[in-house]
Amino acid sequence: MALPSFQVRLDSNEKITPKVHKLVFKLDDPKTISYKPGQFVSFMLPSEDERPIKRSYSIANLEKSSDDTTYIEFVIAYVEGGKATELFFNAEPGMQMEMTGPFGLLCLLEELPQRVFLIGTGTGVAPYRCMIEQIKARPETEFHILFGAQYHEDLFYLDDFHQVAELDHVHFYPCLSREDKEGCASGYVQTKLAELNPDAETDMAYLCGNPDMVDDVFELLKEKDFGVKQVKREKYVFSRF
Ligand SMILES: Cc1cc2nc3c(=O)[nH]c(=O)nc-3n(C[C@H](O)[C@H](O)[C@H](O)COP(=O)(O)OP(=O)(O)OC[C@H]3O[C@@H](n4cnc5c(N)ncnc54)[C@H](O)[C@@H]3O)c2cc1C
């Protein structure tokens, strides 16, 4: 079966931290896309070789409904010498691109346990930003959002996460590995998670972003008797081409 394909047009390209750009695309053809918060799409990008390069990005939209939406937002981190990085960081509004999707299973389950940890490093928090409206609507579950970065200046979407964390059932922990800052936890997301005493009887976890972080946290949770189905993972693995 052919993959669903979309022509999109860049609407804006904004530097939101020293190493992250936020890109917003308008859907050109077809005019809308439906997705589940937590999913990603793949871009087919032109390259000097004959075949296009394929790169995936999590949908970061913040909106009430993810049915028939007319735009799509991404946060893209700088990678030294990266082919897609070069293209996206220099892309001008109006530029047309092709993407396929949506794909992925990092979505909130219908049935959730008492506590859910949403853990991301860098742009790996994009899926959780996209889930904010769903999180608001599920007060029966306690959500703990852990955002790992090196420095405070590397954090983004802070207003959105702080705002949702005003709700009694939502908690937000920015974690900085290379800086001490008031209002942030010091150290890796792993350290903060351990402080929250994850319990396989009552909790589940979502992990997204840096593959090493995803593996480390998964090991930590397995040691605490979490089963594979209690830990959903999306690794931002590098492409081989
Ligand atoms: C399901 C999925 C979702 C993703 N979502 C996002 C997202 O929302 N935002 C986002 O920024 N990225 C995301 N990624 C990663 C993204 O697809 C690209 O891999 C990334 O943008 C780098 O592509 P590039 O072409 O610029 O670098 P490449 O040309 O692929 O790599 C250049 C060089 O850098 C190395 N490299 C590549 N990536 C990294 C890295 N992160 N750290 C260190 N070295 C690296 C490579 O091994 C290579 O040597 C996702 C990946 C997957 C699989």
Side-chain angles (χ1 to χ4, degrees):
M1 203 174 74
L3 292 171
S5 170
F6 299 83
Q7 298 297 323
V8 296
R9 189 181 293 270
L10 185 62
D11 197 49
S12 63
N13 185 352
E14 188 190 345
K15 184 175 180 175
I16 55 171
T17 78
K19 288 189 184 151
V20 174
H21 276 215
K22 177 175 94 174
L23 279 80
V24 179
F25 291 87
K26 283 268 180 208
L27 273 290
D28 247 3
D29 184 22
K31 295 271 178 221
T32 61
I33 184 170
S34 296
Y35 64 88
K36 290 190 188 134
Q39 289 192 300
F40 66 89
V41 297
S42 297
F43 278 86
M44 307 308 291
L45 302 168
S47 80
E48 284 160 14
D49 305 334
E50 267 177 37
R51 72 175 158 183
I53 56 168
K54 186 174 148 195
R55 296 288 184 272
S56 300
Y57 296 94
S58 298
I59 302 170
N61 288 28
L62 177 64
E63 55 188 346
K64 290 232 165 6
S65 168
S66 51
D67 291 330
D68 293 329
T69 186
T70 56
Y71 79 98
I72 196 152
E73 177 171 333
F74 306 100
V75 276
I76 301 187
Y78 179 81
V79 170
E80 179 86 41
K83 294 180 193 160
T85 302
E86 168 77 21
L87 205 146
F88 282 122
F89 273 48
N90 296 307
E92 297 281 349
M95 187 168 176
Q96 277 183 298
M97 296 191 195
E98 184 189 348
M99 61 177 215
T100 56
F103 309 110
L105 300 171
L106 192 85
C107 302
L108 289 184
L109 299 177
E110 299 252 322
E111 297 274 326
L112 287 172
Q114 203 176 315
R115 281 200 308 179
V116 171
F117 299 108
L118 302 175
I119 303 170
T121 43
T123 52
V125 295
Y128 311 139
R129 199 247 188 172
C130 201
M131 289 173 188
I132 281 180
E133 287 300 321
Q134 294 185 325
I135 293 170
K136 283 185 191 170
R138 302 193 64 168
E140 72 286 356
T141 298
E142 241 181 71
F143 290 93
H144 295 262
I145 306 168
L146 283 69
F147 183 168
Q150 291 184 338
Y151 301 98
H152 190 263
E153 65 178 12
D154 300 326
L155 300 169
F156 50 89
Y157 291 151
L158 283 182
D159 288 351
D160 302 320
F161 287 124
H162 280 305
Q163 203 174 23
V164 69
E166 284 171 14
L167 298 170
D168 288 344
H169 70 290
V170 188
H171 307 270
F172 174 55
Y173 313 95
C175 306
L176 304 180
S177 59
R178 299 208 185 162
E179 187 181 8
D180 291 323
K181 185 101 179 166
E182 205 185 322
C184 296
S186 295
Y188 292 119
V189 286
Q190 289 87 320
T191 312
K192 185 70 214 175
L193 179 64
E195 280 172 29
L196 295 168
N197 295 316
D199 181 343
E201 294 288 317
T202 53
D203 306 339
M204 80 173 282
Y206 288 67
L207 316 177
C208 186
N210 179 306
D212 291 339
M213 177 283 287
V214 171
D215 289 342
D216 274 8
V217 178
F218 185 48
E219 285 306 313
L220 189 151
L221 292 171
K222 273 202 304 193
E223 280 167 22
K224 293 189 172 279
D225 296 330
F226 278 69
V228 174
K229 287 189 175 160
Q230 290 173 286
V231 188
K232 279 183 161 280
R233 290 167 286 163
E234 192 78 86
K235 289 187 194 180
Y236 284 0
V237 283
F238 318 147
S239 180
R240 287 189 294 120
F241 303 107

